[in-house]
Amino acid sequence: MKILLVDDDPGLRDLVGLALERAGFRVVTASDGQIALTHAARETPDLIVLDIGLPELDGFEVCRRIRTRSEVPILFLTARDDEIDLILGLEMGADDYVTKPFSPRELVARVRAILKRTSGPRPTFVMSHGRITLDPGAHTCRLDGQSVPLTATEFTLLAALVERPSQIHSRAQLIGTVWGTSSQVSDRTLDSHLRNLRGKLAQAGCANAIETVHGVGIRIQDITA
């Protein structure tokens, strides 16, 4: 599978690129945001590793532009541990983030986890819950027949809720289902993706589809009307 690695630090590009290649990935690199956008369109990568702190065109803007035309998984690299920055990146459509400094082994593990979730075998059956219809094979979500564009993470999260509509899912259960049981994903990452998902469903005309049961977990509501 092909990874687009975007970072303005040549030493980090070499180190991470080598680790990804040793893990069996093909790697295309970019040193700034404009080159990243060109490669993202031309190379059609399976995943993008994207530094936030790029010169001129930062990672947030690159992510925003990519999301206007593609749902390719994006893993942010950031030297900032500011919660606002990390949540902003997730709300723009990133799938996960790694804070510098990090080990190449950790990054490779995160990349594999995202790709396993987004490009593994998908169920062939269509799932429905009230006004929502999910087709995992085609990666389509429809509300009252209207298409709702979701990232891979948002789709997997909604599918987990739709598959067991009567169940209240704990945050740990949802993180395990979406990111894997060995994942280090935090509650704030899950909450950011839930916020995005709620917003997209609300924009499509279903504002209260996902309910938080305080102290218990998350469930999907009865949305037959």
Side-chain angles (χ1 to χ4, degrees), residues 107-205:
L107 186 136
V108 169
R110 294 287 188 95
V111 166
R112 282 176 166 159
I114 295 172
L115 289 173
K116 181 179 179 180
R117 182 174 75 248
T118 59
S119 61
R122 292 175 177 167
T124 57
F125 57 88
V126 174
M127 294 184 285
S128 295
H129 175 69
R131 298 159 59 195
I132 293 177
T133 302
L134 297 175
D135 185 342
H139 187 78
T140 57
C141 170
R142 295 189 178 277
L143 178 66
D144 297 331
Q146 175 186 347
S147 177
V148 182
L150 301 178
T151 67
T153 299
E154 292 161 0
F155 189 95
T156 305
L157 185 54
L158 182 57
L161 296 172
V162 166
E163 189 174 11
R164 296 179 176 85
S166 61
Q167 178 177 335
I168 299 177
H169 304 253
S170 71
R171 279 178 160 73
Q173 287 173 327
L174 284 175
I175 288 172
T177 298
V178 176
W179 286 275
T181 54
S182 61
S183 172
Q184 300 299 312
V185 168
S186 66
D187 283 357
R188 69 183 178 184
T189 299
L190 173 63
D191 288 339
S192 293
H193 287 294
L194 283 169
R195 190 180 303 113
N196 288 351
L197 182 55
R198 285 185 172 112
K200 289 181 179 181
L201 292 175
Q203 190 174 13

Side-chain angles (χ1 to χ4, degrees), residues 12 24 33 41 63 80 83 86 88 92 107 138 167 176 198 222:
L12 187 142
C63 179
R80 297 177 283 191
E83 183 171 1
L86 298 177
L88 177 62
M92 283 185 168
L107 186 136
Q167 178 177 335
R198 285 185 172 112
D222 181 5

Side-chain angles (χ1 to χ4, degrees), residues 54-112:
L54 296 171
E56 298 183 18
L57 198 64
D58 69 16
F60 291 140
E61 180 61 17
V62 173
C63 179
R64 187 189 67 79
R65 295 190 190 186
I66 288 173
R67 279 289 172 261
T68 63
R69 62 176 188 265
S70 172
E71 298 301 333
V72 59
I74 295 175
L75 172 66
F76 267 138
L77 301 180
T78 176
R80 297 177 283 191
D81 196 19
D82 189 306
E83 183 171 1
I84 294 175
D85 284 339
L86 298 177
I87 290 176
L88 177 62
L90 294 169
E91 290 182 347
M92 283 185 168
D95 292 83
D96 201 354
Y97 64 87
V98 174
T99 303
K100 299 177 182 178
F102 57 85
S103 73
R105 181 179 297 179
E106 176 192 3
L107 186 136
V108 169
R110 294 287 188 95
V111 166
R112 282 176 166 159

